[in-house]
Amino acid sequence: MEFVETVFYADEITWETSAARLLISFIAGALVGIERELHNQPAGLRTHILISIGSTLVMLISVYIPQTFHSQADPARMAAQVVSGVGFLGAGAILKFGADIKGLTTAASIWAMAAVGMAIGAGMFKVSVISVIVILFALTVMNFIEKRIFSQRTLRKIEIIIKQTDSRIISIQSILKSYGVRIISTGFERNIAEATDRFTFIVTITPSLDVQMLADNLGQQPGLLSVSVEFIR
């Protein structure tokens, strides 16, 4: 017990306390990194470990400098640079696929793990453990709850060309809504020479939507010439 208190809770930064805190930081980063790796995120196991260890090391240096050289240096100054600097790393985890954005949660976990690493470096072990538990809870349990309550939707463009004589926007909108398609905006263009109408719908759809079945249903509309569903880039 005396050894544990000497190594983990000592105010003085020695190689023993540094090694112990870096080990804890490694474990904390690994736990969150494994969860991100299981979800095939761009920042996974190694990234979170390195962020956690790096932040811990910066905090250890911040505490060590005034302690060793008896200066008036503020330990929070280096920590503040980590908080701002890690934002650039988090931005690299955010990916854009057309109108869809992925990686925001991973970017947030990167920023959170930087804070956990600094807390470990400062010797705030109880707070660090609680923080890792809360982060893992948010990434796992809350992810399950979010998917159960809020259906994930993606942005798409549906374009329909129909003969002017059979152009009925209300019936088209009714079919789209029957498939759970949410219409955000509607565009209209009339080709006088070809006597056709073009409807452009910006919509959100769920991943479970059978796009081919939707197209087949729309194809039963009289006078319909073409229908397309596209990603928005």
Side-chain angles (χ1 to χ4, degrees):
M1 185 65 181
E2 183 179 350
F3 173 79
V4 172
E5 291 180 353
T6 301
V7 173
F8 288 91
Y9 296 101
D11 293 330
E12 185 180 359
I13 301 299
T14 62
W15 76 266
E16 292 94 343
T17 57
S18 298
R21 294 178 186 184
L22 287 170
L23 176 61
I24 295 173
S25 184
F26 175 90
I27 295 171
L31 289 173
V32 177
I34 289 171
E35 193 283 333
R36 290 289 81 194
E37 199 77 57
L38 292 174
H39 286 81
N40 297 315
Q41 295 300 316
L45 178 62
R46 292 180 299 168
T47 303
H48 281 79
I49 289 175
L50 291 173
I51 290 167
S52 184
I53 289 178
S55 301
T56 299
L57 184 58
V58 169
M59 200 66 205
L60 286 169
I61 295 171
S62 298
V63 177
Y64 178 80
I65 289 175
Q67 168 191 291
T68 304
F69 299 100
H70 306 289
S71 66
Q72 298 299 318
D74 182 6
R77 293 183 62 184
M78 289 185 68
Q81 299 305 312
V82 173
V83 173
S84 58
V86 78
F88 292 96
L89 185 61
I94 301 174
L95 305 175
K96 190 172 186 296
F97 300 95
D100 298 329
I101 298 176
K102 303 291 185 182
L104 287 173
T105 302
T106 301
S109 70
I110 286 173
W111 187 84
M113 281 313 302
V116 171
M118 288 188 291
I120 294 171
M124 302 170 64
F125 300 115
K126 292 181 180 179
V127 173
S128 302
V129 170
I130 294 172
S131 298
V132 171
I133 292 172
V134 173
I135 290 170
L136 288 173
F137 179 84
L139 291 174
T140 55
V141 178
M142 294 306 297
N143 179 55
F144 174 77
I145 294 174
E146 185 180 45
K147 288 182 178 180
R148 290 293 298 269
I149 297 177
F150 307 103
S151 58
Q152 295 182 332
R153 307 183 71 88
T154 54
L155 205 61
R156 297 290 183 269
K157 180 175 76 172
I158 298 179
E159 192 173 81
I160 294 171
I161 300 177
I162 192 170
K163 292 180 181 178
Q164 186 177 331
T165 53
D166 299 303
S167 181
R168 300 290 185 273
I169 189 172
I170 295 178
S171 60
I172 294 173
Q173 289 176 332
S174 178
I175 293 174
L176 293 177
K177 290 178 180 178
S178 68
Y179 279 84
V181 175
R182 294 180 184 173
I183 301 173
I184 297 176
S185 64
T186 304
F188 175 77
E189 179 185 346
R190 173 161 289 178
N191 189 317
I192 304 297
E194 299 180 4
T196 60
D197 287 342
R198 182 195 303 269
F199 294 102
T200 303
F201 299 96
I202 303 301
V203 304
T204 60
I205 64 174
T206 60
S208 60
L209 175 66
D210 190 332
V211 178
Q212 188 172 6
M213 186 177 293
L214 172 63
D216 291 340
N217 200 327
L218 289 169
Q220 296 176 8
Q221 288 290 109
L224 190 135
L225 301 175
S226 71
V227 56
S228 65
V229 181
E230 303 176 4
F231 287 92
I232 296 179
R233 301 188 181 278

